Each structure stands twice: as structure tokens, then as C-alpha cells.
Amino acid sequence: MRQIEHFIVGGADGVSRHSEVYDPNNGVVQAQVALGDAALLDRAVDAALAAQGAWAATNPQRRARVMFRFKELVEAHMDELAHLLSSEHGKVIADSKGDLQRGLEVIEFCCGIPHVLKGEYTGGAGPGIDVYSMRQPLGIGAGITPFNFPAMIPMWMFGPAIAAGNAFILKPSERDPSVPVQLCELMQEAGLPEGILQCVHGDKEMVDAILDHPAISGVSFVGSSDIAHYVYSRGVAAGKRVQAMGGAKNHAIVMPDADLDQVVNDLSGAAFGSAGERCMALPVVVPVGADTANRIRERLIPAIASLRVGLSTDEEAHYGPVVNAAHKARVEGWIQKGVDEGAELVVDGRGFSLQGHEQGFFIGPSLFDHVTPNMESYREEIFGPVLQMVRAESFEEALALPSKHQYGNGVAIFTRNGHAAREFAARVNVGMVGINVPIPVPVAYHSFGGWKRSAFGDTNQHGMEGVKFWTKVKTITARWPDGSADGGNAFVIPTMG
Ligand code: NAD
């Protein structure tokens, strides 16, 4: 059986606990990943402490060069990394390449770190006084990441942290841990000194050890909301800087004037792509007016019927299996809950089976109509290939739905009316907005982050927000009086003795 080990300085011997990594296409265990503890973390932190000072003192253009070489290495290994990622996660190869590519875009941004780290300067803030500020690394940062983007989200975090001069300890999801380890190996191959990027595997025990470790100054988390809140609270109580991104329930508002062919096409990808396991998926559609709802429903039914669910290696497949058996059972449980609550199950994806792969974790696409805001299946995140239609009678009613929802990650509006789009973007109580764009994930040089229970802490991922999170500002007020002017202000170089 393949063993997936920690990537720490000196290696990791004598680890006893393991977790199983599945191939979701077949439902078989394909590897075991080691689960670390506080003692293992101590070793990683010691190595990070030993290396971080020299890395922070390395000039930023040299740090940028490592980022550049890393980007080239990932590109050179793109195919094998994408296949490995798909084999543990279940997403199709094209989605795995997208996962890697979106991460690389953050690395590209980090290649500009010398420019980004330039501080501010005020000459002559007083007589002979200049004030300037600089951004310095926190020291040691840690990242705790979810299963659904095992390449992109680690890169969101370690890219800016390392480029800014920090050492970084990554704790990836134990469900698909292989690609995160390979990314660490490629960073080292790119010239990163030993100890600056390490990877420890684990579950709650390791997460708690990270949150409690006094030498770790910043923690970035992405995962489900209850755990995000826990990580945020415990990390902040320990005096750390913490950003913790949580779950989502993103809505697509469809105005009567929208191009419905585009909407249905976009919804097919955004609701069902990657089996709905995206925090920026669109699992809720809100048509405005009964006529809009009926026209969308009419088009969605054949569009859903044409979706191909297949192996993650099937180039024709729109999406593959979900990550494991427990998640499959959970999603199917939510479908049953929706039925029990009185929503109309128009297309039922349960019971789907792929011939020859009956043990794989596949779920067919499902469509609900007449979902209402009081239903638990609407209020909670399903994170599977399930689209729920909530009918609204007016723009104001549609605007209120995502605004009042407990999650506020992303939202989209489809319309040809610029004024409606503008009003919506300004007033909706959600962090990331798409206008005729189904998955409004901001480009790497802007920043990513939701509102309400989708994010705890106030700094976003990547872009300038990411750099700010991983650095602290030092402000220097300097006075250089003219030594020749008068005796009282004379500048004298102190001498010994
Ligand atoms: P998860 O919360 O189960 O796991 C995330 C991380 O927390 C993993 O590294 C895991 O090992 C660790 N963890 C699990 N249980 C823990 C516990 N009890 N105590 C401490 N740590 C624990 O999330 P997941 O299932 O891997 O990922 C899916 C979730 O992530 C969804 O809710 C999705 O919306 C969310 N997500 C959010 C964003 C965002 O940017 N807002 C992005 C991607 C995914």
C-alpha cells in the first residue's frame, strides 16, 4: 500500500496513526496517509525557526526567482499532478488542471513581491524628520486546507507567505494529501531552502497543535464553517493572527430579461461541475417571476439529462465522483431531507451507478423546484450536485434571499439591465459578486473572501490582502538634524569609553 508521509526536515519516523485515502472512482483504499501529533509539529517548527531568519534576510528579488522557477516546474509536471489530484479527489482532469492553474496565478502574482513589499515614505514630516514604513514577515505561518482544492488553496496561502519572507507549515486535507506534498517538493527543487515550506498531515489533533503552538504567528484556514469558527476562536485566543474561510450557499438571481440559454449553460457548469464540491458553486437559482422560473425549468431538465457523469479520467465527463462514501451519503441525505420538507424533486440523482464502477462514489445531478427559505436543506450547505430553485416574485425579494442567508461567499445576477445589476452589486450582503459571471472567483491580484459565516477574520486570501495578512507593518520616524547648525542639535557619533 502506498504510504503518504509528512514533508518535514529530517523526515518523520515512528508515526503510528494513519488515515485512508480512497480512489473515489472505485471506492477502494489506494494509500495511507500518516497522521501527525504535537511532537511532530514541534520538530517542524524547530526546523522552520532555524531557517526563517536567513530567508527573510534574502533579498526579495531572489525570493521571487524561487517562485518563478516553481511556476515553471509545476507547469512542466502539470499532467502528472492533475492525474494524481483527480485520482484522490474525483474531479475530472480538466478541473484538476484548473485547480493547479488558479493556484499558479497566485504564484505569478508573488513573482512581483519586490514591488509589492515596497513601503511608504514621507519626507519632511517635521523638521529633519522622515517617516517610512516597511512590511516584515510574521515569522512562521501555517495553513489548514480543505479537500476540494488541494492545489489552489495551499498555493493561495504559501505563495504570499513565503514570498514575503515567512516560513510556512501546511496541513492539507487528509482526504487528498498527495499533491500538496508534491508542491512542497517542487518548491524545494525550485531552490527554496530546507525548512521554509513543510507539510504535516493530520486531523483535529494536529490542527489543535498548530493553533496552540506559541511559535506560529499566523494561521490561514479554509474549510467548513463550524470548524472555521472553531479555528478562528482558538487561534485568536492564543494570540495569533487568523483568517478562516468557511462554507457557502451561493445564489444565482435570474432577472426576466436575462439570456436564459446562457443562464442554463452557466448553471450546468456552476451547479454540477466538480460534483458541486466548490465553495463558489451555484447551488441555488432564484428566477424573478413565475414566467422566468417556468422557462428556466423547461430548459434545465434537458440540460441536466445531457450531463455525463463519469470517471475522473473520462475526457467527455462533465463531472466525476464525490470524494468519499461518507460525503455521498451526506449529499443523498440532504436530497431526502428536501423531499421530506416538501420541495419538489424534479430530477433525482440518487441511485446513479456507473457500469463497471459500482463501488465508486458517484451521484447523478438533482434538481429541486419550489424550495423555500424556511427549509433546512436551503439554509445549509449540501456541497454536492444538487440545484435548488427558489422562486421570487420581485427583484427586492430575490435580493433579500442571499443577503439574509447565513453564508455570504459568492452570488451572481443574470440580467441585461445595467441599473439592476449595479443596484444588486451595491446592495447585496455577500462578499463576491458576479454580473453575468457564474463563478465570480476574483483573479489572483484581487482578493478572495466571503462575508458572514463564510469567513471569520477580516483579511482576504491572495492579492494585496494576502500579502497584508502574512506581514506586519513597522513604521520608522527618523530625525537627522543638521549637525553644523547649532551646538544643541549637533549630531555626534557616540564613542566607546
Ligand atoms: P473540513 O472543514 O472538513 O476540513 C477542512 C480542514 O479542517 C481539513 O484540513 C481537516 O483536516 C480539518 N479538520 C476537519 N475536522 C476538524 C476538526 N474537528 N477540528 C479541527 N480541524 C478539523 O472541510 P472539507 O470538507 O475538507 O472542505 C469542504 C468545505 O470547505 C466546504 O464547507 C466548503 O464550502 C469549504 N470551502 C470554503 C472555501 C472558501 O474560500 N470559503 C473554499 C473551499 C472550500
Side-chain angles (χ1 to χ4, degrees):
M1 173 89 47
R2 184 164 63 95
Q3 303 292 319
I4 302 163
E5 295 298 343
H6 309 279
F7 182 77
I8 65 169
V9 176
D13 297 330
V15 177
S16 54
R17 289 200 309 132
H18 288 90
S19 175
E20 293 176 332
V21 178
Y22 287 87
D23 176 351
N25 291 296
N26 303 308
V28 298
V29 176
Q30 59 158 319
Q32 282 188 327
V33 59
L35 299 179
D37 56 13
L40 183 111
L41 180 70
D42 279 344
R43 289 185 39 212
V45 169
D46 287 348
L49 283 170
Q52 193 263 332
W55 178 244
T58 302
N59 68 46
Q61 55 273 36
R62 281 182 191 271
R63 299 202 300 261
R65 275 177 216 141
V66 172
M67 294 290 154
F68 205 92
R69 282 194 293 272
F70 171 70
K71 168 185 143 63
E72 290 180 325
L73 283 171
V74 174
E75 283 168 350
H77 292 278
M78 181 64 84
D79 276 338
E80 66 196 73
L81 286 168
H83 277 83
L84 182 59
L85 196 161
S86 286
S87 78
E88 292 183 357
H89 178 288
K91 62 174 83 174
V92 295
I93 302 289
D95 280 342
S96 289
K97 288 186 177 170
D99 190 335
L100 286 150
Q101 179 57 33
R102 292 307 297 251
L104 281 186
E105 288 167 14
V106 175
I107 300 299
E108 284 167 356
F109 173 82
C110 294
C111 291
I113 200 74
H115 174 72
V116 165
L117 283 183
K118 282 189 304 191
E120 294 176 331
Y121 180 83
T122 304
I129 293 179
D130 303 323
V131 179
Y132 59 99
S133 62
M134 54 177 74
R135 291 202 158 268
Q136 296 192 328
L138 300 181
I140 301 182
I144 301 160
T145 55
F147 82 85
N148 69 325
F149 281 99
M152 176 184 80
I153 294 178
M155 286 192 261
W156 277 3
M157 299 176 182
F158 74 64
I162 289 175
N166 295 282
F168 191 88
I169 297 175
L170 173 65
K171 205 302 287 172
S173 170
E174 62 277 35
R175 298 188 219 167
D176 46 12
S178 291
V179 166
V181 173
Q182 297 224 342
L183 295 177
C184 294
E185 288 172 359
L186 290 176
M187 278 289 276
Q188 207 144 304
E189 198 180 325
L192 193 70
E194 211 182 49
I196 297 300
L197 177 58
Q198 300 174 88
C199 179
V200 295
H201 302 292
D203 49 17
K204 183 176 189 313
E205 185 177 344
M206 179 56 87
V207 171
D208 287 348
I210 290 171
L211 296 172
D212 296 343
H213 203 296
I216 295 176
S217 307
V219 175
S220 182
F221 172 92
V222 177
S224 50
S225 286
D226 286 348
I227 298 174
H229 188 245
Y230 167 77
V231 164
Y232 180 74
S233 310
R234 187 163 174 156
V236 167
K240 298 182 197 316
R241 186 178 288 193
V242 185
Q243 56 177 190
M245 276 61 190
K249 191 91 179 192
N250 308 320
H251 295 54
I253 311 302
V254 185
M255 298 299 288
D257 65 353
D259 174 347
L260 292 195
D261 291 330
Q262 182 211 341
V263 170
V264 168
N265 188 40
D266 285 354
L267 278 175
S268 301
F272 303 109
S274 204
E277 295 170 321
R278 290 182 183 136
C279 63
M280 289 295 271
L282 275 183
V284 178
V285 56
V286 183
V288 175
D291 178 59
T292 315
N294 294 338
R295 286 188 294 135
I296 288 190
R297 176 176 164 147
E298 207 171 85
R299 287 169 166 80
L300 269 174
I301 294 170
I304 289 173
S306 72
L307 289 175
R308 181 177 165 108
V309 184
L311 295 179
S312 56
T313 47
D314 177 352
E315 287 183 6
E316 305 288 307
H318 292 97
Y319 71 88
V322 299
V323 70
N324 62 19
H327 192 57
K328 176 175 159 131
R330 191 173 168 275
V331 172
E332 291 184 340
W334 277 120
I335 296 172
Q336 186 56 45
K337 179 78 181 168
V339 172
D340 296 344
E341 290 179 312
E344 182 195 356
L345 184 57
V346 182
V347 181
D348 186 355
R350 292 172 297 177
F352 176 90
S353 172
L354 193 67
Q355 210 181 359
H357 299 271
E358 288 76 8
Q359 301 309 311
F361 309 134
F362 295 95
I363 311 177
S366 293
L367 173 66
F368 276 105
D369 195 358
H370 301 289
V371 174
T372 54
N374 60 326
M375 293 179 183
E376 202 183 336
S377 57
Y378 166 77
R379 294 198 307 266
E380 300 298 331
E381 180 180 43
I382 296 177
F383 218 55
V386 181
L387 178 59
Q388 296 170 297
M389 185 163 356
V390 182
R391 293 169 173 241
E393 283 179 11
S394 65
F395 172 81
E396 291 297 331
E397 193 185 330
L399 172 68
L401 285 164
S403 296
K404 289 186 177 159
H405 201 280
Q406 62 165 331
Y407 295 118
N409 215 38
V411 71
I413 184 167
F414 293 89
T415 181
R416 290 187 169 99
N417 182 323
H419 178 68
R422 190 169 178 274
E423 275 289 290
F424 182 81
R427 289 171 57 196
V428 71
N429 186 18
V430 171
M432 291 175 279
V433 181
I435 297 173
N436 298 316
V437 170
I439 304 183
V441 177
V443 289
Y445 42 94
H446 284 261
S447 73
F448 183 106
W451 288 2
K452 299 180 280 183
R453 275 179 60 76
S454 293
F456 303 92
D458 57 8
T459 319
N460 284 352
Q461 299 279 353
H462 65 68
M464 264 320 286
E465 291 272 300
V467 174
K468 284 180 181 164
F469 181 78
W470 295 111
T471 53
K472 52 195 175 189
V473 178
K474 182 178 280 178
T475 308
I476 295 107
T477 303
R479 181 163 172 255
W480 296 107
D482 178 357
S484 65
D486 71 72
N489 276 340
F491 175 66
V492 179
I493 295 178
T495 53
M496 300 292 287

